[in-house]
Amino acid sequence: MKEYRTISKIAGPLVFVEKTEPVAYQELVNIVLYDGTIKRGQVLDTSDDLVVVQIFETTTGIGKDSGVRFTGETIKMPVGKDMLGRILSGGGKPIDGGPEIVPEKRLDITGAAINPYARGMPADFIQTGISTIDGTNTLVRGQKLPIFSAAGLPHNNVALQIARQAKVPGSTETFAVVFAAMGITKEEANYFMQDFERTGALERAVVFLNLADDPAVERIITPRLALTTAEYLAFELGMHVLVILTDMTNYCEALRQIGAAREEVPGRRGYPGYMYTDHACIYERAGMIKGKKGSVTQIPILTMPGDDITHPIPDLTGYITEGQIVVNRDLHRKGIYPPINVLPSLSRLMNLGIGKGKTREDHKKVSDQMYAGYAEGNDLRGLVAIVGKDALSERDRLLLEFADLFESRFVRQGYDEDRSIEDTLTIGWDILSTLPVEQLTRIDRDLINKYHPKIKTSAKKE
Amino acid sequence: MEVKAKNAKEQKQGVLKRIAGPVVTAVNLDAHMYDVVKVGKEELMGEVIKIQGDSVIIQVYEDTSGIRPGEPVSNTGLSLAVELGPGLLTSIYDGIQRPLEVLVKKMGNFIERGVTAPGLSHEKKWTFKPLVKAGDKVEPGAILGEVQETNIVHRVMLPPNVKSGVVKTIKSGDFTIDEIICVLDDGREYPMLQRWPVRVPRPVREKKNPTIPLITGQRILDGLFPIAKGGTAAIPGPFGSGKTVTQQQLAKWSDAEIVVYIGCGERGNEMTEVLTEFPHLEDPKSGKPLMERTVLIANTSNMPVAAREASVYTGITIAEYFRDMGYDVSLMADSTSRWAEAMREISSRLEEMPGEEGYPAYLAARLSEFYERAGLVETLNGASGSVSVIGAVSPPGGDFSEPVTQNTLRIVKVFWALDAKLSQRRHFPAINWLNSYSLYLEALQDYYDKEVSPEWNKLRSWAMEVLQKEAELQEIVQLVGSDALPESEQVTIEVARMIREIFLQQNAYDAVDTFCDMKKQYDMMKAIKTFADLAYAAQLAGVSPAQIIGVKAKNELPQIKFIKDYKPELAKIEKQMDAEFNTLRSAA
């Protein structure tokens, strides 16, 4: 392989190489340092006279005397069945002291888009055991449902609880977990690892760790490696895979860093203008394929800077993903776990996964009724602060109490509490029954007669 | 054919010089703006977007990884064009009219590159029935004959940009789209297939002002903010506010004869939902599967960004083609923001001077050019056809002051403002009744007078007044509580709640409520107005607001939405309402 010593400029994570033979766009590059160390990079811009290479590690030690080798191929990920149970670096190298992965295949990490015509329709209800997800923002197989959180909130616990408890009722298959950490601290990573070990989840997990002190640019490829692995497990080996990506905010910072180094015209808040497309190429790698057994379900976690849901990172994410689970500081302060605020939360695929034959016929309407009641009760809290509880009408007073009940009974649950969907709906009906029946306008008569705890029992007595 | 190579001579091959993402540079290439070129050894499809000295800058519709400088580039000399003819309906295309179903067969479940596939099947035979005979004079755009495509009759036309002539021979029978079906006396031969460059609007005889509403079966749209056939509307809203559900409802239930649905840079799973659901849905009028009148274009967010830019043009050209046959076409673009972002991405790779928020300075021009292709027209063959365009807009952070929303609002006539607050309380469709507007109200008044009821326009204004009044009253309630309001205004608040919960809220997932015809809309609004009249009268007679709110009959009213034959039930409720108010009044 030819080695060039024609580096003309090094700026941030970018290395500019002159006078090369034709080099392919996105080609994998090895840079050889004076002491023989090899650093890896990727071609971002190629022309006759200048090639721009983005280095995945720090550029420390790279100089004009370093050698540049173009490998002639784009970045590939070696994948194999024995990957389950392994811990890899953010760049895909084993770091658990075990042997190298025996590759059964080498796959391009960019991943092609699934042809929309070939996609299978996600419709299998995943029971996470968390009422605010199962009951009101249902997750289905093949969905991408991010957790929008912020610094200091227990999003990791929520993610772990989902990973631990997720199952499809009536099916014995368990989920394989692909976990990709991007720029999180060692402490946080340990927390995840310990939980995986405690629950035995590690055996069916593949872990990619790019920690806070690992090179930022490496984060660009970490989710791609993880998703390539997930696609292999799902579509070649037929497994149901749950992918947890944390923290996407760190990924975006890395993207911005490269954009700035390339002197690109920045979009909003300095993030590159192509961030939407870039994110889409990650998030859209969730789904099912007609005629294939497996599925890829994604739970990306991101921390909203300044708790701001309109910040470009949560904003662009929300436009791509099929909903979002919003972790809320006020609920956390009240000591409620999981502090999921259902009002801004949403699952777009919920309707595909619930209803008769999947969960229960009354699921959708109970959920809508609780939303309506909680939203109105929540608004009234502001009013009570001004006029006092006594000035409220009877209707409003009940709604206010409903909002409190909703938080204390429906939202609040234990870290290890695994509620079945039946339990969740029963709690829903219990708290709805504190409202007058005629106020339950979202639910039809038949369902009220069948499930309303007060009416149901009185009907039986007769 | 209408799309001619600009240079009939053998085109010189160019050489790739630079590759950076979807934008590449070639040298030594004879090219004109927007020529389609084949890039690299794999012959990826691209389009010329800038010419600078010796360099030709090309946007590539496929992933460019692995392409090297020095690889060849050849010019087809053609503009980006779509194939028009029988076989369009029920098809699912990507942004450059490659049929996705064929692509699955050719390259498997994932979209690989360098594979081409024609937009229409060139093998399939269609039964052509001529409508002209030898010796007839035919003008450009004239209807030569027809093909029963699905339950829709496909009218085969003379291309719009050719000279008129006299029919020498016209055939009848089964033909592929390439076989000649008509010969004119000057020797010109025409098959059923036409090609049309997507960036050029198809000509019409005259553009007219719309006067008929596009009935969508959605109460808040038909009832309060209607769009006309041939009109334009925008649906802006933050994520999760229900843009896509609204667009899909329109695609399903609007009373257009042809629907073109463009999924531009949106979610793959959502397109799958459309693909799975549409073939099972029935047109409420004809009872035929809705898919038979639909053309879908799916360029999801992770498919190449240049093809996303083209997808909107591909869609509107197909819509115009059906309009030229004399059909009412409605086109949904979800979402135009993704289209604008594709322009931004390409523009920034070209290192153009950016306008507002990094969007190119020509953003406003491109948006208005696109929406101006909508309209009610007299076609070249004298028929009346229309294209209604409904564009979703995804403003960052839900902030309507951003450039795409603002530039869109300057052009479109109907604005359906989605509101995250409403969707959070599961008020669907989450269209804000105070911010939305329709500029077609006056033009459509006559239609409503004649087709619905002479009272309708008055009822509509009454409902808007109540809602507006409620908004003002709510401000006071927020400060002092509802008990402090005068009694008549407490009634107003209750009536407004009924309009919101009964009329405006509509369940897209309920088999009956998903579509509500104008007659039922009128009956529902009328019932609410009846309640309001009785309530105000009772209040004047001394009945307390609490008693009025306690009237049981009104609690039954929401159930009307879910009943197909609602009339007997409605009559019963109205009777009970009367009786209850009578009792209240006599007790007061």
Side-chain angles (χ1 to χ4, degrees), chain A residues 37-48:
Chain A
T37 348
I38 290 183
K39 299 209 175 214
R40 294 188 308 159
Q42 187 181 17
V43 174
L44 278 189
D45 190 336
T46 168
S47 61
D48 289 349

Side-chain angles (χ1 to χ4, degrees), chain A residues 39-59:
Chain A
K39 299 209 175 214
R40 294 188 308 159
Q42 187 181 17
V43 174
L44 278 189
D45 190 336
T46 168
S47 61
D48 289 349
D49 28 63
L50 187 70
V51 173
V52 183
V53 180
Q54 164 198 326
I55 307 296
F56 295 131
E57 297 151 60
T58 60
T59 42

Side-chain angles (χ1 to χ4, degrees), chain B residues 357-571:
Chain B
E357 287 192 23
Y359 286 104
Y362 46 79
L363 172 74
R366 291 277 172 89
L367 279 169
S368 52
E369 277 165 21
F370 167 66
Y371 281 104
E372 199 52 24
R373 288 175 77 168
L376 173 71
V377 304
E378 187 183 326
T379 64
L380 292 180
N381 53 46
S384 165
S386 68
V387 175
S388 318
V389 173
I390 297 149
V393 185
S394 320
D399 171 15
F400 289 172
S401 67
E402 58 91 41
V404 182
T405 316
Q406 283 307 312
N407 284 313
T408 304
L409 286 185
R410 286 218 305 274
I411 316 155
V412 299
K413 292 278 197 310
V414 180
F415 173 48
W416 295 322
L418 289 164
D419 188 334
K421 280 230 173 76
L422 291 174
S423 64
Q424 286 184 11
R425 56 191 59 203
R426 296 300 186 261
H427 173 112
F428 285 119
I431 294 169
N432 185 307
W433 48 89
L434 298 172
N435 298 344
S436 303
Y437 59 78
S438 165
L439 300 181
Y440 292 116
L441 283 173
E442 248 169 73
L444 302 178
Q445 253 175 19
D446 284 350
Y447 174 90
Y448 285 120
D449 273 348
K450 257 184 252 152
E451 304 292 327
V452 186
S453 160
E455 275 178 85
W456 174 254
N457 292 308
K458 269 182 238 142
L459 266 179
R460 182 199 173 272
S461 323
W462 169 79
M464 283 306 291
E465 254 169 58
V466 173
L467 291 169
Q468 177 60 41
K469 182 81 188 163
E470 185 207 22
E472 287 163 23
L473 294 175
Q474 283 296 354
E475 280 174 25
I476 304 172
V477 170
Q478 286 302 318
L479 292 177
V480 296
S482 59
D483 284 352
L485 288 180
E487 294 197 337
S488 70
E489 297 191 331
Q490 292 184 33
V491 174
T492 305
I493 293 237
E494 185 60 22
V495 171
R497 191 206 314 276
M498 287 169 70
I499 296 178
R500 282 191 282 115
E501 290 184 0
I502 301 171
F503 190 82
L504 297 185
Q505 281 182 13
Q506 190 165 358
N507 187 346
Y509 299 99
D510 184 274
V512 176
D513 200 30
T514 186
F515 176 86
C516 183
D517 63 28
M518 278 314 293
K519 194 72 200 140
K520 186 169 178 184
Q521 295 191 20
Y522 169 76
D523 285 339
M524 285 173 70
M525 188 62 99
K526 179 87 184 149
I528 300 171
K529 177 78 163 52
T530 312
F531 174 86
D533 291 344
L534 287 169
Y536 287 117
Q539 185 261 324
L540 282 179
V543 181
S544 79
Q547 280 173 310
I548 292 173
I549 292 166
V551 167
K552 289 217 165 48
K554 113 185 135 57
N555 298 331
E556 302 297 322
L557 217 42
Q559 300 293 328
I560 293 296
K561 296 200 250 191
F562 310 112
I563 305 174
K564 203 168 169 107
D565 291 314
Y566 62 95
K567 287 217 161 141
E569 181 69 20
L570 186 63

Side-chain angles (χ1 to χ4, degrees), chain B residues 312-331:
Chain B
V312 165
Y313 294 105
T314 301
I316 192 115
T317 308
I318 293 174
E320 285 177 338
Y321 174 67
F322 281 103
R323 171 204 66 194
D324 289 347
M325 296 180 202
Y327 285 121
D328 289 320
V329 185
S330 64
L331 177 133

